[in-house]
């Protein structure tokens, strides 16, 4: 017997938005800090490391794919994030990563939906 997942609590003030500009990049980094704020095992990336991961000049494989990052915001505060990647050479393939969210099925469903 399989237990049903709890239905997500969709909050009207949640918004999914694409990451754009320096403010978006800061919010993308901050979302992970908020998720792991109380986890003593989490080590934040080095300064500039996340920015370089999403810079095609610093990370040449990004040049051969389409990619996008999203944040889930609860009001003005980012509380989750995800990125998606689609390599040009393999149009039938897609990847996602940088998935960070608190232990909340509603937030996870909103980000992956």
């Amino acid at each position: 017997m399989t237990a049903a997942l709890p239905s997500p609590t969709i909050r009207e003030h949640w918004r999914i938005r694409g990451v754009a500009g320096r403010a978006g990049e800061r919010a993308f980094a901050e979302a992970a800090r908020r998720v792991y704020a109380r986890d003593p095992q989490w080590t934040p990336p080095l300064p500039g490391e996340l920015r370089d991961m999403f810079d095609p000049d610093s990370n040449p494989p990004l040049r051969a794919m389409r990619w996008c990052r999203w944040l889930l915001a609860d009001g003005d505060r980012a509380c989750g994030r995800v990125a998606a990647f689609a390599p040009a050479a393999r149009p039938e393939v897609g990847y996602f990563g940088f998935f960070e969210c608190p232990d909340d099925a509603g937030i996870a469903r909103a980000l992956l939906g």
Side-chain angles (χ1 to χ4, degrees), residues 13-100:
H13 52 278
W14 281 357
R15 321 180 310 247
I16 298 282
R17 66 176 195 236
V19 172
R22 293 211 186 267
E25 290 176 7
R26 281 192 298 274
F28 192 77
E30 189 60 33
R33 290 186 196 293
R34 286 195 176 120
V35 169
Y36 298 116
R38 295 189 176 138
D39 184 347
Q41 301 300 316
W42 185 68
T43 303
L46 296 170
E49 185 176 19
L50 189 60
R51 182 189 64 240
D52 288 348
M53 282 186 211
F54 289 99
D55 177 7
D57 292 331
S58 299
N59 188 0
L62 287 180
R63 296 178 195 153
M65 65 180 68
R66 292 178 39 210
W67 55 275
C68 190
R69 296 173 287 175
W70 295 275
L71 291 166
L72 183 134
D74 186 358
D76 290 333
R77 193 182 82 149
C79 58
R81 71 181 191 177
V82 68
F85 307 88
R90 299 195 53 207
E92 73 282 0
V93 174
Y95 307 96
F96 76 95
F98 296 88
F99 176 72
E100 317 287 349

